């Protein structure tokens, strides 16, 4: 099997490339390195079954040879990016998805779209099941990402209905692990880096908002199971264990062994106050559920950030 992975040098994309290669797939990794990092796939470039192409998927691309699967993961995805890169996000969700779908259609390949829990916006229902249509502000500070991904889902379904393309849509909830960017603003890397440096952890709002954190290896297994399934409707993947951000901060300082304090900052506008996936469908249709506990996953992630900061001399 040969896969094209757009966004393959990103956090999730690079772990997917690793996983596919270890399952004897050939992989073409495509990335424009806007928020991806070549270092994430550096260990793969010497492999004959791996190819890296620096390309922006918002520009059309013609590839020679067969491709069996297009995994479309390319997009900036952190809330800081929503402010810094809104046009890039809207372009990759629309033009990028169109180009990726066209590659799949021309090659007769299957197609998997990395969507997001952000399609549910600031949810008025908890946990969020796939049937929930969401509560999204179309002009709010998160709208570039939310609407880009909602459009991408609609376009993917349109290709399924019009051309019979075999598509999968995964709605990814908060995921963490090694290779997250230390400065991407997301809560897990931010808190870990602050705790390692002995700085105060910046809790937004009162810290009572909730999230549910899935370790990267669990997510990748779920994506792979979905990819091989017959399911053509959206599937939530995430960890249903919900935790407040204040509690997360306390757990991270404890695991790092840091005496960092917590400092409270204003809650950014438009943030969801709670988020927790209903994974009934993934459980029953894919036989998937997360295995890695928050404590185990945080320990591995902290170890990686510690090693990376030592290697980087900071
Ligand atoms: N958060 C925080 N301090 C930070 C970064 C994030 O308290 O330095 C909170 C943020 O308010 C949100 C949660 O952590 O409630 C998750 O934020 P993140 O940016 O990781 O992703 P989101 O789930 O909002 O997309």
């Amino acid at each position: 099997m040969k896969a094209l992975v757009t966004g393959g040098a990103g956090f999730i994309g690079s772990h997917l490339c690793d996983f596919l290669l270890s399952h004897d797939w050939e992989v073409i990794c495509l990335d424009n390195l806007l928020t991806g990092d070549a270092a994430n796939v550096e260990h793969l470039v010497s492999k004959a079954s791996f190819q890296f192409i620096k390309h922006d998927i918002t520009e059309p691309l013609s590839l020679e040879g067969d491709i069996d699967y297009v995994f479309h993961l390319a997009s900036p995805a952190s809330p800081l990016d929503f402010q810094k890169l809104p046009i890039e996000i809207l372009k990759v969700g629309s033009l990028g998805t169109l180009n990726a779908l066209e590659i799949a259609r021309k090659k007769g390949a299957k197609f998997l779209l990395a969507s997001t829990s952000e399609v549910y916006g600031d949810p008025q229902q908890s946990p969020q099941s796939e049937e929930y249509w969401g509560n999204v502000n179309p002009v709010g500070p998160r709208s570039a990402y939310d609407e880009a991904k909602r459009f991408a889902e609609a376009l993917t379904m349109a290709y399924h209905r019009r051309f019979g393309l075999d598509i999968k849509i995964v709605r990814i909830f908060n995921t963490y692990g090694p290779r997250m960017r230390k400065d991407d603003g997301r809560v897990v890397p931010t808190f870990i880096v602050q705790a390692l440096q002995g700085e105060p952890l910046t809790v937004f709002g009162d810290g009572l908002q909730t999230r549910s954190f899935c370790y990267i290896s669990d997510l990748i297994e779920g994506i792979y199971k979905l990819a091989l399934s017959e399911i053509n409707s959206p599937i939530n993947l995430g960890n249903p264990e919900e935790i407040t951000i204040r509690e997360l901060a306390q757990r991270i300082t404890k695991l790092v062994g840091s005496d960092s304090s917590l400092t409270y900052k204003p809650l950014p506008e438009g943030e969801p106050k709670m988020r927790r996936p209903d994974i009934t469908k993934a459980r029953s249709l894919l036989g998937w559920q997360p295995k890695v506990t928050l404590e185990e996953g945080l320990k591995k992630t902290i170890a990686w950030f510690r090693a990376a900061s030592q290697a980087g001399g900071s």
Side-chain angles (χ1 to χ4, degrees):
M1 294 286 277
K2 186 165 183 177
L4 172 70
V5 181
T6 77
F11 161 51
I12 296 176
S14 64
H15 285 281
L16 180 64
C17 290
D18 282 342
F19 187 95
L20 293 172
L21 289 163
S22 73
H23 285 70
D24 294 327
W25 288 54
E26 284 178 59
V27 173
I28 302 174
C29 166
L30 201 81
D31 208 298
N32 68 348
L33 303 180
L34 178 62
T35 55
D37 186 347
N40 288 339
V41 290
E42 212 171 62
H43 60 293
L44 301 177
V45 287
S46 61
K47 290 182 188 286
S49 48
F50 180 80
Q51 187 189 355
F52 176 75
I53 301 176
K54 185 165 185 279
H55 178 86
D56 182 346
I57 192 63
T58 65
E59 303 290 338
L61 173 74
S62 76
L63 290 166
E64 290 189 359
D66 292 341
I67 289 176
D68 302 296
Y69 224 116
V70 176
F71 292 89
H72 180 42
L73 276 65
S75 178
S78 99
L80 275 188
D81 300 332
F82 305 167
Q83 313 311 317
K84 282 195 263 177
L85 303 168
I87 315 284
E88 290 81 352
I89 289 172
L90 284 157
K91 280 178 76 180
V92 77
S94 53
L95 299 173
T97 304
L98 184 69
N99 289 331
L101 281 162
E102 271 302 296
I103 293 171
R105 188 179 68 82
K106 287 180 186 150
K107 299 284 183 189
K110 296 187 185 192
F111 182 89
L112 181 141
L113 171 70
S115 184
T116 168
S117 55
E118 281 287 326
V119 300
Y120 301 122
D122 188 4
Q124 290 168 321
Q125 170 180 310
S126 183
Q128 295 83 52
S129 73
E130 291 86 349
E131 282 64 44
Y132 180 50
W133 291 351
N135 176 38
V136 174
N137 176 354
V139 292
R142 294 192 166 225
S143 62
Y145 188 65
D146 297 9
E147 299 295 9
K149 288 294 187 182
R150 289 171 71 98
F151 178 89
E153 287 198 10
L155 191 61
T156 300
M157 284 312 291
Y159 265 67
H160 174 59
R161 294 188 179 115
R162 170 75 71 87
F163 302 115
L165 202 73
D166 190 353
I167 61 94
K168 322 287 163 196
I169 297 174
V170 52
R171 293 186 179 151
I172 301 172
F173 284 65
N174 293 67
T175 298
Y176 69 101
R179 301 187 194 150
M180 292 186 91
R181 286 180 288 150
K182 69 177 191 324
D183 55 357
D184 87 347
R186 278 188 274 199
V187 69
V188 171
T190 303
F191 282 179
I192 290 178
V193 170
Q194 289 167 336
L196 286 172
Q197 294 178 345
E199 289 168 4
L201 272 58
T202 49
V203 175
F204 296 162
D206 58 10
L208 296 180
Q209 69 274 32
T210 67
R211 294 291 186 274
S212 313
F213 296 95
C214 184
Y215 189 64
I216 183 69
S217 59
D218 280 332
L219 178 80
I220 297 294
E221 273 181 31
I223 289 179
Y224 192 62
K225 284 192 167 189
L226 175 61
L228 300 186
S229 79
E230 303 293 319
I231 303 166
N232 294 129
S233 57
I235 294 283
N236 289 339
L237 292 182
N239 193 318
E241 191 192 323
E242 195 174 11
I243 179 174
T244 67
I245 294 306
R246 198 188 289 181
E247 161 98 36
L248 177 74
Q250 286 157 352
R251 287 226 211 159
I252 288 177
T253 42
K254 195 164 156 229
L255 289 170
V256 168
S258 154
D259 53 11
S260 287
S261 58
L262 307 189
T263 173
Y264 290 86
K265 303 261 176 191
L267 190 69
E269 195 196 330
E271 268 208 5
K273 285 169 268 314
M274 58 183 177
R275 186 183 289 146
R276 176 174 171 230
D278 179 337
I279 58 163
T280 309
K281 266 180 107 175
R283 274 201 179 103
S284 62
L285 301 177
L286 302 175
W288 175 88
Q289 61 179 22
K291 294 186 279 213
V292 181
T293 63
L294 186 60
E295 174 151 346
E296 279 174 84
L298 284 177
K299 278 186 184 162
K300 290 184 194 191
T301 311
I302 289 166
W304 184 85
F305 273 99
R306 209 188 280 274
S309 75
Q310 280 158 3
S314 54

